[in-house]
Amino acid sequence: MKRKPKIAFFDFAGCEGDQLQVANLEETLLDVLGHVEVVSFREVMTGHSDDYDIALVEGSITRPEDEERLKEIRANAKILVAFGACATIGGVNAMKNFMSETMYRRQVYGDNARCYSTYAARPLSAVVKVDAEIHGCPIDRNEFLCIIKDLIIGKRPFVPDYPVCAECKQAGNICRYDLGQLCLGMITRAGCGACCINEGAHCWGCRGLAPMANLDAARYVMEERAGYSRSEVQDLLRIFLSHTTAPL
């Protein structure tokens, strides 16, 4: 009988919301377990093993000691998957990269700031080789299932290379710019089904830049055509895209 691939979940600096998305698969997760063996998943089990084939890693790297732990995970895994915005693009944690170290140390750690190590936040790919990425904040559960299935059968996972605007048009949404709102759909990688716009919000850029994104053109649209100030555009870009669009 063929051995099931062993999967382990790990987390660094993040809210663990992506792991909760996986846990919330509920009955569907049981179907997945018929094809894989989960050996480490702190959100749903107490056991742990360093014997695994696929490592799914959430969170960004924000301390020197994180690098060593991540390299150990990479050495043990045949396949390493970064999942969630913090792991794939640095996420909201990377906003601190535009603050002085003194400021964010004081804000986060208070009087005990000197007791903790920290440095500029970065995605996993800045430290180790990443074999696949599952984008979003949080990830889409159905996309997670599709990518895991592809990895198990040895197929290269499909990740859209076009912008959210394409999905927004398919959904029949009114363009946020026609409603007087800033939106990053023109430069953000699709795959979310334009879910934020569907719910009346705008695109925050949590899936990272689309491969052919033209930042200069996007800034022109946002500043010159839509009339937003450079600081307004910069603030929106820095929420999720601090690492991928730096310097802003």
Side-chain angles (χ1 to χ4, degrees), residues 71-235:
K71 289 175 181 177
E72 290 177 3
I73 294 170
R74 171 72 273 186
N76 286 338
K78 295 182 178 68
I79 297 173
L80 188 144
V81 182
F83 77 118
C86 291
T88 58
I89 59 174
V92 294
N93 294 324
M95 286 194 290
K96 77 181 213 180
N97 299 354
F98 293 93
M99 306 175 188
S100 70
E101 184 175 334
T102 300
M103 177 183 292
Y104 65 70
R105 276 183 172 275
R106 183 175 64 248
Q107 291 294 323
V108 176
Y109 302 115
D111 295 337
N112 297 316
R114 295 179 62 185
C115 300
Y116 298 92
S117 60
T118 184
Y119 64 20
R122 61 205 68 189
L124 306 187
S125 60
V127 179
V128 298
K129 178 179 180 291
V130 171
D131 301 303
E133 295 180 326
I134 305 176
H135 299 281
C137 183
I139 61 167
D140 179 88
R141 288 174 285 180
N142 292 324
E143 184 177 33
F144 169 83
L145 290 173
C146 290
I147 290 177
I148 291 301
K149 177 182 177 181
D150 287 344
L151 291 174
I152 291 172
I153 65 177
K155 178 181 176 183
R156 184 179 181 84
F158 169 73
V159 179
D161 59 0
Y162 48 86
V164 171
C165 281
E167 294 178 328
C168 201
K169 291 297 184 183
Q170 289 177 337
N173 292 316
I174 299 173
C175 180
R176 297 298 97 175
Y177 287 93
D178 289 338
L179 298 176
Q181 298 177 18
L182 266 176
C183 183
L184 298 181
M186 69 183 87
I187 58 173
T188 300
R189 184 191 298 271
C192 59
C195 58
C196 290
I197 300 92
N198 294 343
E199 296 298 325
H202 56 78
C203 178
W204 303 84
C206 75
R207 290 180 62 86
L209 293 176
M212 300 301 290
N214 188 327
L215 286 174
D216 290 334
R219 287 192 179 96
Y220 172 77
V221 169
M222 290 186 279
E223 295 177 21
E224 302 298 327
R225 296 294 298 273
Y228 290 96
S229 68
R230 180 171 179 78
S231 62
E232 289 175 311
V233 173
Q234 178 177 276
D235 287 347

